[in-house]
Amino acid sequence: MNLDLSTEDAAFRADVRRFLDENLTDDMRAGQKLTTGVYPDPAISRAWHRRLAERGWSAPLWPAEYGGPGWSPLQRFIFEAESARASAPLVNPMGIRLVGPVIIRFGSEEQKRRLLPPILSGEDYWCQGYSEPGAGSDLAALQTKACRNGDDYVVNGTKIWTTHAQFANRIFMLVRTSSEGKPQQGISFLVADMNSPGIDIRPIVSISGEHEVNQIFFDDARVPAANLIGRENEGWDCAKYLLQFERGAGLFSGRLRSSFNRVCDIVGELTDRGRLALPTDETDRRLAEAAMRLDAFEMLELLYASSADVPPSSSSILKLRASRMKQMMGRLALDVAGEEALGWGENQSGAAVALLDTPALDYLNSRAFTIFGGAQEVQLDLIAKALLSR
Amino acid sequence: MKLELDEEERSLIEGAEKLVSRHAEGSGTIEDRSANLWRALTEAGWTALFLDEVDGGIGASIATMGTIFERIGNAGLETPLLSSMILGARLLGRARPSGPVREQIEAISTGQVKSALLIMPDCIASLFGKAGTGSPVAPIRVLDAATANLFLVYSPASTGARFHLLTRDSPGLSVRKAPTLRSADDGELRLDLLPDDICAIDFPDPAAALEITLDEACLMTCFEALGAMRWLIGATAEYARTRRQFGRALTELQAVRHRLAEMQVAHEDARAATCLAAMTMRDADRRARSVTAAKLIASEASIAVAEGAIQLHGAMGVTEELSVGRYVRRLTAFQYLFGGRSSQIDRYTASTSSIGAARKSAILESAS
């Protein structure tokens, strides 16, 4: 076992670094550094998505025939690590990482031709309509109905916690097309144009003061039946496929390293101002410990992505660990900043404008990480189930 | 980058594994079965795995050696492998080659002789932490000292620290049995005479040799701890599946399932950190960062697993009726061997600026 990079991979890494140097602007970096939400606003990320797309690097996990670059898991890892190091903006994952693979796997040729290129290029900006007020962890309990009427589905209901719906021109969603049998058996996967009549968005303000998520209301919204991905009532399979697809795609490391770099930047700035809340040697020790854990987490992610010796609950383990690490970083930033972190925007609208605005916002937002994408308690249940079934 | 054991490594491990499993079960005390395993390992030449080829060994990889420690840890057996091979024969392999040194290496590898390493105070902290200040005559805890016949002693000298080779018969040396949570074979050494040139062994760089030896030993104990954790998780899951109260198995309680899940996650954390360290042993800087991290993370994981195991076994968990206690005691000792939490962070921060290191991915950054 070794960590030696082959000449090919070392050359790839050099290539990635060169690309980042030549294409990342100061604005993009600054924008990412001040992002405290789950990913930056499109004003910051779309320009970067375009550059990536021009290079053919916007969809690392897609098969080559659909525009993927054909990278090995290690190369993907290298790309993510270098991007994080350079503070490249995180691109909205909804299109590239979530709906794209579903369309590739379950979509018709017509749908692939129509929907994939603008996902790849970044022209389309997507949001995800999954959760509902009555269906969070228990997603199968969703009630938003889609009734077939001529060439359309008529959609009625509501989706909640939709990140960036306010910016999106497209949505993918799980809707109920049958109430017979088990709840999972009556769910379909539909994509829609957010500009359709009958779709209304209501902002939801987070405890960080930011407007990131929304509630969407569907009032007789008509969605062409040609936007049904896969077969009617087989949408749950699409959702399950995504979970499998995500397994071993491990992309938390880069984001965590970004968070950590920000903490280091915060320490630097506080030190310059003589306002570090912890003694220097304690700060050093806290950073050391965080660095140790981050290295181990990176190794865990890489092991899961590239070796066969992986526990069946690996994606749950990664999600659980990554979300706790994120929260640990949040707490660390607060601890080093102390009182300096307590400022709250004049108009309480969130959105950091300076580095020292970020600790409080980051901390508050980080609490969501053990809730979305499979709450911590659900992940623990899954891990236990896998352990006990051996 | 190769993150899995290759075929050669696997077949070496399989062979050693069979031997270990044979002695893991069966009648007889732990001491007897451990002694039998050691005899089997030495007689069949498995100790050669822990020696470089130039010293007459097979030169197995760190990952192979570590995996064998994992298997032994899983079996709950206590052998002189750490003291004799890692802190003994492998350390001697770093000396300038000479007839006597080669003879000692062979004697240890064939099981004729058991060795122990003593690090004198005023030098570096002894293996159990800082020894008493003042008198050099104060007894010092040494791993496996009670059963050793050969003692490697690292001590200060005006011209720089050096290693000496002493035996039980050496004048001024006395050994006392001092069993610990870790092993019945641990002891206390008292040296009435500070060795000066007595039986000095010629090393090109004694301090460097000691550092890498201790790091390897620390890493091996991390692997062993992984094995012990794996056993505890398995035993606890099995117990929780079968134990019934209130008309149902313990596993039907979500709190119990979650605690088990946390133990599993802790083990995976420790496994990743240990693998990373195993792959970064060649470069001193990376090694300092990765071994300290492995020790810290594996120690923390072992607390979660050990305490969870006891808790989920209920009252039985705090009795000697089960094997749980034995594994827990050994893991508890592990947490403090080669330095606890604080020492690991001390060394990490001393080896590199935290902020500088923090920005680098340990996996992708090489020394150059």
Side-chain angles (χ1 to χ4, degrees):
Chain A
M1 287 173 70
N2 69 72
L3 292 175
D4 302 332
L5 283 182
S6 64
T7 9
E8 197 191 314
D9 288 334
F12 175 75
R13 181 174 66 172
D15 207 14
V16 171
R17 283 187 181 174
R18 207 174 9 251
F19 173 80
L20 291 164
D21 268 337
E22 289 168 7
N23 289 277
L24 271 178
T25 65
D26 287 341
D27 276 348
M28 289 173 184
R29 280 186 231 256
Q32 173 61 33
K33 283 190 182 186
L34 291 177
T35 296
T36 48
V38 74
Y39 40 87
D41 281 0
I44 294 157
S45 65
R46 291 187 87 165
W48 182 237
H49 187 150
R50 253 195 305 280
R51 307 253 179 140
L52 286 171
E54 280 160 20
R55 187 65 161 86
W57 286 1
S58 62
L61 282 164
W62 288 19
E65 69 179 290
Y66 295 106
W71 289 341
S72 64
L74 176 59
Q75 287 171 329
R76 253 180 10 245
F77 180 89
I78 290 172
F79 176 74
E80 292 300 325
E82 293 296 331
S83 297
R85 194 175 183 236
S87 294
L90 282 168
V91 168
N92 175 359
M94 294 298 171
I96 295 280
R97 292 179 55 76
L98 296 183
V99 76
V102 169
I103 295 169
I104 290 171
R105 170 74 174 79
F106 295 96
S108 64
E109 288 313 307
E110 183 275 326
Q111 286 167 337
K112 290 177 194 175
R113 268 196 309 271
R114 174 164 48 99
L115 297 166
L116 293 179
I119 294 176
L120 198 61
S121 69
E123 198 186 309
D124 278 346
Y125 198 82
W126 289 75
C127 65
Q128 174 191 61
Y130 270 23
S131 298
E132 297 180 1
S137 292
D138 184 9
L139 186 57
L142 63 91
Q143 290 303 312
T144 296
K145 279 189 177 44
C147 299
R148 187 66 187 262
N149 182 266
D151 289 333
D152 293 333
Y153 281 100
V154 179
V155 181
N156 279 285
T158 177
K159 292 293 180 187
I160 199 168
W161 316 133
T162 35
T163 308
H164 285 193
Q166 75 271 38
F167 300 121
N169 66 317
R170 292 218 178 275
I171 181 170
F172 65 94
M173 47 190 180
L174 292 174
V175 292
R176 185 156 296 291
T177 38
S178 168
S179 298
E180 285 173 36
K182 291 201 317 201
Q184 290 87 339
Q185 292 167 334
I187 292 173
S188 298
F189 196 102
L190 208 58
V191 305
D193 186 336
M194 285 294 281
N195 298 311
S196 314
I199 301 185
D200 270 306
I201 302 169
R202 179 175 79 82
I204 297 174
V205 180
S206 304
I207 53 178
S208 61
E210 288 163 297
H211 166 210
E212 199 174 30
V213 295
N214 304 270
Q215 185 165 9
I216 304 179
F217 297 92
F218 298 88
D219 188 10
D220 285 343
R222 300 192 81 92
V223 177
N227 283 3
L228 175 73
I229 310 289
R231 290 205 281 262
E232 200 178 270
N233 295 324
E234 292 185 6
W236 195 249
D237 289 342
C238 298
K240 282 201 304 199
Y241 169 74
L242 260 184
L243 276 178
Q244 260 167 268
F245 185 83
E246 289 283 291
R247 200 158 289 166
L251 291 184
F252 298 113
S253 294
R255 295 165 66 159
L256 287 171
R257 186 70 60 184
S258 261
S259 284
F260 194 23
N261 284 340
R262 182 156 70 198
V263 175
C264 295
D265 288 341
I266 290 167
V267 167
E269 186 157 324
L270 289 167
T271 306
D272 288 343
R273 295 188 189 196
R275 305 291 262 254
L276 203 54
L278 297 176
T280 1
D281 58 336
E282 190 178 334
T283 302
D284 226 27
R285 296 173 76 79
R286 292 285 299 272
L287 289 175
E289 206 179 321
M292 287 178 176
R293 293 185 195 285
L294 189 48
D295 285 342
F297 177 78
E298 271 189 10
M299 185 77 255
L300 186 67
E301 212 168 50
L302 197 56
L303 276 174
Y304 283 177
S306 43
S307 96
D309 181 21
V310 168
S313 53
S314 60
S315 63
S316 293
I317 293 175
L318 280 181
K319 169 71 178 34
L320 185 70
R321 289 297 293 116
S323 50
R324 286 175 177 173
M325 290 278 296
K326 176 78 178 157
Q327 291 174 343
M328 186 258 289
M329 298 292 176
R331 176 56 68 179
L332 182 55
L334 279 184
D335 281 349
V336 301
E339 280 182 24
E340 295 294 313
L342 299 184
W344 191 239
E346 279 174 337
N347 52 1
Q348 295 194 23
S349 69
V353 296
L355 189 60
L356 292 182
D357 293 337
T358 62
L361 303 181
D362 191 36
Y363 166 75
L364 291 167
N365 281 325
S366 75
R367 302 319 306 169
F369 276 70
T370 42
I371 298 170
F372 69 61
Q376 173 175 251
E377 289 69 20
V378 169
Q379 304 296 359
L380 286 168
D381 266 352
L382 291 169
I383 294 165
K385 185 170 173 197
L387 177 64
L388 291 166
S389 69
R390 278 205 232 137
Chain B
M1 198 172 282
K2 203 163 54 70
L3 300 179
E4 289 184 289
L5 299 164
D6 61 34
E7 229 182 276
E8 194 192 318
E9 289 169 318
R10 272 189 219 279
S11 67
L12 282 174
I13 288 162
E14 242 176 69
E17 229 167 22
K18 286 199 179 84
L19 215 60
V20 172
S21 316
R22 216 177 292 153
H23 294 89
E25 316 276 303
S27 57
T29 60
I30 291 294
E31 289 72 27
D32 286 341
R33 287 190 273 121
S34 299
N36 291 337
L37 173 62
W38 183 240
R39 192 173 12 252
L41 286 171
T42 48
E43 278 171 11
W46 285 100
T47 47
L49 255 61
F50 297 87
L51 280 179
D52 290 340
E53 282 166 333
V54 64
D55 299 315
I58 292 176
S61 63
I62 293 279
T64 306
M65 291 190 244
T67 309
I68 294 173
F69 269 90
E70 199 272 354
R71 301 300 188 257
I72 296 177
N74 185 252
L77 298 173
E78 296 168 11
T79 67
L81 194 58
L82 188 76
S83 289
S84 285
M85 290 312 296
I86 309 294
L87 297 169
R90 267 180 88 74
L91 171 54
L92 285 172
R94 299 184 166 108
R96 278 192 228 283
S98 73
V101 164
R102 266 193 280 271
E103 273 165 30
Q104 296 298 357
I105 292 175
E106 173 146 357
I108 295 170
S109 313
T110 51
Q112 280 175 261
V113 150
K114 290 182 184 155
S115 73
L117 173 66
L118 161 65
I119 303 171
M120 294 296 284
D122 300 335
C123 233
I124 299 177
S126 78
L127 296 176
F128 275 83
K130 296 189 178 4
T133 51
S135 162
V137 178
I140 303 162
R141 278 191 199 283
V142 171
L143 300 179
D144 296 316
T147 45
N149 353 61
L150 196 68
F151 297 93
L152 281 153
V153 180
Y154 185 77
S155 87
S158 53
T159 45
R162 59 182 59 183
F163 285 96
H164 308 262
L165 206 60
L166 303 178
T167 66
R168 273 185 177 261
D169 303 324
S170 296
L173 176 76
S174 64
V175 186
R176 199 175 78 80
K177 250 175 103 79
T180 66
L181 292 173
R182 191 195 85 95
S183 172
D185 295 338
D186 288 339
E188 270 178 10
L189 247 62
R190 187 187 234 103
L191 268 176
D192 291 333
L193 271 158
L194 278 179
D196 199 35
D197 276 328
I198 296 173
C199 311
I201 313 165
D202 190 13
F203 277 78
D205 188 342
L210 181 70
E211 191 185 285
I212 185 157
T213 296
L214 291 179
D215 281 344
E216 280 185 356
C218 181
L219 181 62
M220 292 301 127
T221 61
C222 290
F223 272 103
E224 192 191 314
L226 287 178
M229 284 188 254
R230 184 165 60 90
W231 187 90
L232 283 170
I233 292 169
T236 307
E238 184 51 29
Y239 182 81
R241 265 194 283 257
T242 51
R243 171 70 173 165
R244 297 182 76 80
Q245 286 286 266
F246 305 111
R248 51 197 172 150
L250 292 188
T251 44
E252 293 194 41
L253 297 166
Q254 194 186 48
V256 169
R257 288 203 304 276
H258 282 198
R259 188 87 184 244
L260 271 167
E262 298 282 11
M263 288 160 67
Q264 164 84 327
V265 173
H267 177 267
E268 285 296 286
D269 277 343
R271 185 170 77 91
T274 304
C275 279
L276 179 54
M279 291 188 283
T280 48
M281 294 300 278
R282 284 192 314 249
D283 174 87
D285 269 334
R286 290 179 84 179
R287 183 187 355 120
R289 281 165 32 209
S290 65
V291 171
T292 51
K295 180 63 184 21
L296 185 143
I297 292 169
S299 298
E300 201 176 78
S302 71
I303 295 173
V305 173
E307 293 182 357
I310 294 175
Q311 180 69 21
L312 295 181
H313 275 87
M316 293 295 282
V318 281
T319 70
E320 270 302 272
E321 289 290 308
L322 305 172
S323 301
V324 170
R326 205 160 43 76
Y327 282 86
V328 166
R329 287 193 295 270
R330 189 122 167 138
L331 280 177
T332 306
F334 160 70
Q335 291 150 23
Y336 299 96
L337 279 185
F338 304 106
R341 257 184 67 87
S342 198
S343 309
Q344 303 309 331
I345 299 176
D346 276 346
R347 182 161 170 226
Y348 188 102
T349 55
S351 82
T352 183
S353 125
S354 294
I355 289 191
R359 293 190 190 277
K360 293 187 200 186
S361 155
I363 293 168
L364 293 180
E365 299 296 329
S366 54
S368 51

